[in-house]
Amino acid sequence: MNTLGNFAIEQAEQRVEQERDASIARARSGLKVTGAPAVHCRACGAEIPEARRRALPSARHCIDCAETRERLGKR
């Protein structure tokens, strides 16, 4: 392959790497939890079990409400 072809491949590989790194950074920023875990569900007010709070500190809904929200396509 000629030099121009090699350069184009290297540029494409760098772009893919940059996009991958940016995607990872976006995903990680979405995982950051601020403040203490919620103790009560935002939707129904029921207590979120301690095991769920430990397993998923970002949980803001009890499992029943979370499943309902997922079925309805809400975030």
Side-chain angles (χ1 to χ4, degrees):
M1 192 175 288
N2 63 29
T3 305
L4 185 57
N6 288 339
F7 179 74
I9 290 171
E10 289 175 13
Q11 291 286 35
E13 289 173 347
Q14 285 179 350
R15 181 68 180 157
V16 167
E17 196 171 320
Q18 290 171 344
E19 289 178 7
R20 185 194 66 230
D21 292 344
S23 293
I24 291 170
R26 282 193 303 274
R28 284 184 176 158
S29 71
L31 294 175
K32 292 180 183 173
V33 177
T34 57
V39 176
H40 294 92
C41 176
R42 286 185 178 175
C44 70
E47 182 177 349
I48 299 172
E50 184 178 349
R52 178 167 169 77
R53 293 191 313 256
R54 276 185 286 151
L56 187 64
S58 63
R60 299 294 179 244
H61 297 91
C62 67
I63 193 71
D64 291 335
C65 290
E67 288 174 349
T68 299
R69 293 173 60 81
E70 286 178 19
R71 278 195 307 273
L72 296 175
K74 296 181 180 178
R75 296 198 175 254

